[in-house]
Structure formats: structure tokens, C-alpha cells
Amino acid sequence: MDKIDRKILYYLDVDGRCTYTSIAKSILRSKVFVKNRIEMLQNKGVLAGFTTIIDISQLGFLTFDVFLALKLGQIDDQIVAYLKNEAMVNCAIKVSGKYHLYFSIIAKNIYEFEDIYARFLERLRCLFPTQCFDSRMLKIIRNRRSSLFHGWNL
């Protein structure tokens, strides 16, 4: 992958609906050149498809990312399964390192988030009544623009 491919990917990341013509103007190449490069990236599997991403903040929701450090040694699959069945949980995965669990909650406001989070903590206490855990909510994210190209010399 060369610098031109990275530029094409950047413009597709910014706006997945941009035209070959608009990308061509931005990178000073022809429309046919851009079309061929995008097809090549698709054939190589670099571009697996195009997906619609909904900005939930435009619908009045916030995204709360929660990173949880547990003193359990291992995350029980029951915890992840519980989170995945919670209607307002967008994502729940086991992670390694400083934290053991990551999940994302969609809520209209901080109060709704706290209600969902309190139900999770109660469930955690039911599953592991003798364990202590340390939870830290690190940040509220309003917009998840891709950082795939952050730091690339375009």
C-alpha cells in the first residue's frame, strides 16, 4: 500500500459516500485512476465493504465507554453475556492489560447511564458476592470518528 492508497482510504473514511471524482480532485488524479485503485483495494481485502454508521448523538444519545478492572482473575462469560443482552449496551468484550472488561452504554443522559450501570453492578455482585472490584468510567464519547489514519503522513 502506498501513499496514494492511504489518501484514498483517508477520504473514504471521512466520507464513505464520496465520489470517485471528489477523491480524484483531492489527490490530483483521474476518476478512472481512483476507481481502479478502490477496486484493487477491494480485491486485496483492504476494503471489505462499505457500512453505514449512524451518529447516535444526532438522535439525542450519548455513548459511555466503561473500562472495568476486576480482581477476579478471569472475566466470567456470564458477565459478558449479561451485558450483550442489555438493550442499551452497544458492545461488551473481554480485554487484557490494566482492565479486564470493556463495554459501551448508549443513554440519553448521565442519569439513564447511571441506572443501567447500577443494574450491571448489582448483577456483578450477585454473580460474585465475595469479590471486590475496581471500576473506572474513563470517558464519555460523543463522536467515534476513526483514528485509523491518525499520525499518517498524508
Side-chain angles (χ1 to χ4, degrees):
M1 182 179 325
D2 62 12
K3 190 173 184 175
I4 293 171
D5 290 336
R6 291 194 303 265
K7 284 182 180 183
I8 291 170
L9 290 173
Y10 169 78
Y11 288 111
L12 287 173
D13 183 51
V14 169
D15 179 8
R17 294 179 47 169
C18 61
T19 64
Y20 296 142
T21 303
S22 67
I23 296 172
K25 286 179 183 178
S26 298
I27 67 170
L28 305 173
R29 300 283 192 235
S30 73
K31 175 182 168 181
V32 173
F33 177 89
V34 170
K35 180 181 182 295
N36 291 337
R37 282 292 183 107
I38 289 174
E39 287 175 357
M40 180 196 65
L41 290 168
Q42 287 175 310
N43 291 337
K44 286 184 173 181
V46 174
L47 285 173
F50 298 88
T51 304
T52 300
I53 299 174
I54 299 169
D55 182 356
I56 63 166
S57 69
Q58 297 297 317
L59 301 174
F61 291 93
L62 300 170
T63 301
F64 297 83
D65 284 352
V66 180
F67 294 83
L68 202 64
L70 300 169
K71 298 177 182 174
L72 303 172
Q74 207 174 31
I75 297 295
D76 193 288
D77 288 334
Q78 292 176 41
I79 297 170
V80 175
Y82 167 78
L83 287 168
K84 285 183 177 181
N85 288 322
E86 179 67 42
M88 298 309 280
V89 172
N90 184 36
C91 168
I93 56 174
K94 297 180 203 180
V95 294
S96 61
K98 182 177 181 180
Y99 299 100
H100 305 103
L101 179 66
Y102 162 79
F103 58 100
S104 175
I105 295 175
I106 298 170
K108 289 193 177 199
N109 53 47
I110 188 73
Y111 304 109
E112 186 176 62
F113 162 75
E114 287 177 348
D115 181 53
I116 295 166
Y117 190 66
R119 286 197 313 264
F120 165 71
L121 292 179
E122 184 58 37
R123 177 68 176 164
L124 192 63
R125 288 186 189 102
C126 289
L127 289 171
F128 304 99
T130 61
Q131 299 292 329
C132 297
F133 55 92
D134 175 23
S135 65
R136 297 179 187 101
M137 188 181 79
L138 296 181
K139 58 188 167 184
I140 298 172
I141 298 177
R142 294 180 189 271
N143 185 1
R144 286 184 186 221
R145 284 305 310 151
S146 172
S147 60
L148 177 63
F149 301 103
H150 178 73
W152 279 21
N153 183 14
L154 299 173

